[in-house]
């Protein structure tokens, strides 16, 4: 996959905007996932009490996911491929994560970035996140097989 320096910069700068308002953006992210996939509530230990904005675990887990997609962008720009940590595949296969759920999380991620960056949003930015997410998801799925 070809991933340009500009695409990496778009992901990095919007990740920083996402992080600047992490608790609120995490709530947008989880609500968007649960809207499409209510069953996800029972998959995440930290959603036992619903989407509680005061639960710091929500923000911590959301930051981890967005951070890994950001790392994916860095890997793509540097070497054109993404390698996922070895435990990531087993975590997700143990939880029984499916392909459609990967698509739900992707849509939620794009929606959250769009809401976070406001009028800085454009197709190029969205596409950069999409490619970085797809490649990281592909690397995780390989580890699930
Ligand atoms: C756990 C990353 C996609 C469900 C984890 C963990 C990481 C991670 C790092 C370890 C625990 C943590 O700190 O959160 C990712 C990345 C994804 C992805 C980078 C996509 C590129 C998904 C999808 C689902 C999912 C599509 C399905 C809804 C889970 C669950 C756990 C988990 C249920 C265990 C959470 C818990 O501790 O309760 N994921 N994930 N993940 N992931 Fe994902
Ligand atoms: C999937 N995997 C790990 C963490 C997550 C946080 C929020 C939504 C989905 C996730």
């Amino acid at each position: 996959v070809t991933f340009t320096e500009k695409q990496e910069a778009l992901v990095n700068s919007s990740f920083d905007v996402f992080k600047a308002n992490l608790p609120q953006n995490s709530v947008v992210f989880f609500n968007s996932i649960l809207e499409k996939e209510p069953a996800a509530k029972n998959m995440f230990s930290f959603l036992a009490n619903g989407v509680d904005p005061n639960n710091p675990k929500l923000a911590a887990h959301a930051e981890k996911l967005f951070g890994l997609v950001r790392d994916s962008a860095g890997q793509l720009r540097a070497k054109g491929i993404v390698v996922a940590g070895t435990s990531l595949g087993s975590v997700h296969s143990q939880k029984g994560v499916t392909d459609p759920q990967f698509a739900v999380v992707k849509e939620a991620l794009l929606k959250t970035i769009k809401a976070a960056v406001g009028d800085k949003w454009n197709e190029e930015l969205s596409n950069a996140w999409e490619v970085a997410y797809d490649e990281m998801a592909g690397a995780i799925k390989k580890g699930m097989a």
Side-chain angles (χ1 to χ4, degrees):
V1 176
T2 306
F3 203 81
T4 64
E5 241 170 76
K6 177 160 188 212
Q7 286 178 301
E8 185 187 21
L10 284 168
V11 169
N12 283 341
S13 59
S14 48
F15 176 82
D16 291 342
V17 175
F18 164 79
K19 215 180 136 173
N21 205 346
L22 185 61
Q24 190 191 311
N25 290 325
S26 300
V27 169
V28 170
F29 183 51
F30 281 109
N31 281 334
S32 170
I33 291 172
L34 294 179
E35 207 173 276
K36 292 245 173 82
E37 182 70 0
K41 183 183 185 293
N42 305 313
M43 295 176 74
F44 293 100
S45 50
F46 44 89
L47 290 184
N49 299 314
V51 181
D52 173 4
N54 298 314
N55 181 353
K57 288 187 179 172
L58 257 62
H61 284 264
E63 182 179 3
K64 202 163 199 174
L65 183 132
F66 280 74
L68 280 168
V69 178
R70 178 198 209 230
D71 287 350
S72 171
Q75 290 192 50
L76 284 173
R77 204 264 312 136
K79 48 192 176 82
I81 61 156
V82 176
V83 177
T86 47
S87 64
L88 274 179
S90 54
V91 170
H92 293 95
S93 60
Q94 256 165 37
K95 293 280 177 178
V97 175
T98 63
D99 266 18
Q101 289 172 337
F102 273 99
V104 167
V105 168
K106 174 178 165 176
E107 290 313 313
L109 175 136
L110 295 174
K111 194 172 157 182
T112 303
I113 290 295
K114 184 175 184 178
V117 303
D119 62 12
K120 295 250 170 70
W121 189 90
N122 59 45
E123 284 296 332
E124 202 182 10
L125 172 64
S126 181
N127 181 256
W129 275 97
E130 202 172 324
V131 173
Y133 178 90
D134 283 344
E135 295 299 313
M136 177 55 78
I140 293 174
K141 287 179 201 178
K142 262 191 197 165
M144 289 172 73

